[in-house]
Amino acid sequence: MNPEQLAAQLRCPHDDDGLKVATNMDRRNAEVIEAAYAALDCRPGQRVLEIGPGGGGHVATLLRDRPGLDYTGLDLSPLMVREARAANHDWVEKGRARFLLGDLLAPPLADGGMDRVVAVNVVYFWQPLAPALERIHALLAPGGRCALGLRSRASMRELPVFEHGFALYDGPDLVAALEAAGFRSVRLEQAREETVNVLGQMMDKERLVVVGDKAEARV
């Protein structure tokens, strides 16, 4: 695949190439996924929405480690929804997981219905950014929390693939965007990680997790 084709697969995996890309992403995103969920601080019984879960390879471990958690995955890719449902069949059957096809800007979900929202390595595709963050804020219940996991602009700007439809961020710019969307107590977590990039090369990357809370309901 050339850089433009790879970028299209990262945005919305499809066909056999999409399966290969998604499998690689499950493995290469493990650290940032774990960091984003740690920042969410999920509690038993809470309702969690993940935007862009891909093949959902991490979901079984998530649900095993967090009893009572109710999980919803929302993805633009029909292929990824199908793969995630198959990979997590037992959890779907138990009623603790569901995978929906849809767009964040018009999700098949009720406002105020989620306690936690997480998105890992998909914020690059929310262009413009503000409507997506405002939609997440609307989907959260009062007192809910959002966590966005990503790699920094400095970690990504050297690779040609990210010149094709990716909006890159430094961290403070996302903090400001979440605050503008109505989130409170927005904070930025940064860490270094050595991992394989989308071209199969080892590289040192900066991991970012931006976390914001929705205000509690007034009484």
Side-chain angles (χ1 to χ4, degrees):
M1 283 182 283
N2 63 38
E4 189 171 3
Q5 291 169 331
L6 178 55
Q9 291 289 2
L10 290 169
R11 185 180 305 107
C12 185
H14 54 279
D15 64 39
D16 289 343
D17 285 337
L19 282 176
K20 294 174 185 175
V21 168
T23 299
N24 286 336
M25 290 303 98
D26 273 347
R27 183 173 66 254
R28 293 169 184 170
N29 287 336
E31 288 187 40
V32 67
I33 291 172
E34 183 177 349
Y37 271 100
L40 275 187
D41 189 25
C42 298
R43 308 294 173 83
Q46 287 186 325
R47 302 155 297 175
V48 177
L49 169 65
E50 182 167 1
I51 303 161
H58 58 288
V59 175
T61 299
L62 172 74
L63 294 178
R64 275 198 306 269
D65 291 347
R66 294 167 173 84
L69 201 68
D70 183 83
Y71 176 94
T72 299
L74 178 70
D75 208 291
L76 279 172
S77 166
L79 174 63
M80 290 298 94
V81 171
R82 185 169 71 245
E83 290 295 308
R85 286 172 177 167
N88 297 282
H89 177 266
D90 289 348
W91 293 107
V92 172
E93 287 294 301
K94 292 174 183 176
R96 287 191 58 199
R98 63 207 56 80
F99 296 89
L100 307 178
L101 179 66
D103 188 330
L104 171 59
L105 295 182
L109 298 164
D111 285 358
M114 295 294 164
D115 302 297
R116 297 288 190 267
V117 176
V118 62
V120 174
N121 282 339
V122 296
V123 66
Y124 322 114
F125 307 120
W126 298 344
Q127 302 174 41
L129 177 61
L133 297 181
E134 290 165 3
R135 200 74 207 84
I136 291 173
H137 191 272
L139 289 168
L140 281 167
R145 176 171 296 172
C146 168
L148 305 179
L150 65 153
R151 270 59 180 254
S152 69
R153 183 194 313 270
S155 299
M156 299 174 68
R157 62 187 174 194
E158 301 301 325
L159 295 179
V161 62
F162 300 124
E163 297 174 2
H164 301 279
F166 285 71
L168 305 182
Y169 299 96
D170 299 306
D173 44 3
L174 270 183
V175 170
L178 263 74
E179 290 173 341
F183 287 92
R184 307 286 185 87
S185 304
V186 183
R187 55 264 190 211
L188 171 64
E189 301 175 5
Q190 299 167 279
R192 307 300 304 186
E193 59 181 46
E194 186 172 287
T195 186
V196 178
N197 66 27
V198 295
L199 301 181
Q201 305 159 334
M202 288 299 300
M203 68 179 292
D204 180 60
K205 296 180 180 178
E206 183 182 29
R207 180 180 73 230
L208 308 177
V209 178
V210 183
V211 188
D213 299 329
K214 185 170 180 175
E216 297 281 355
R218 294 182 179 180
V219 294

